[in-house]
Amino acid sequence: MLVLPTSFPDKCHPNPCIHGSCFSDALGYVCVCDSSFTGKNCDSGTAKLTAAIKTQQTTLHMPTTPVSATVAPTL
């Protein structure tokens, strides 16, 4: 007669999912990744690339040049 265990070790403690939520089952664990992250442990993705791009962006500032104008009075 085969006896199956009624409980299994919690593979989600500590949480192996770097950027996501962990769900443990009899076979191991599954990570549900936050948006922009992928991989078995949610440790790779586009969020790192997006952050790198944002730090490399430059803001363009338009030079301010004084403009003088003369308005003729209307009669």
Side-chain angles (χ1 to χ4, degrees):
M1 178 177 189
L2 178 63
V3 177
L4 296 175
T6 56
S7 66
F8 47 89
D10 185 4
K11 300 289 185 180
C12 291
H13 186 72
N15 186 359
C17 308
I18 306 300
H19 298 283
S21 301
C22 183
F23 297 94
S24 184
D25 62 17
L27 301 176
Y29 68 92
V30 174
C31 291
V32 176
C33 302
D34 297 339
S35 62
S36 301
F37 288 94
T38 60
K40 178 172 172 53
N41 294 330
C42 303
D43 57 350
S44 61
T46 57
K48 292 178 187 175
L49 178 60
T50 302
I53 290 170
K54 285 183 181 178
T55 59
Q56 295 298 319
Q57 289 177 341
T58 35
T59 304
L60 297 176
H61 296 282
M62 298 300 293
T64 55
T65 306
V67 176
S68 62
T70 305
V71 178
T74 57
L75 298 176

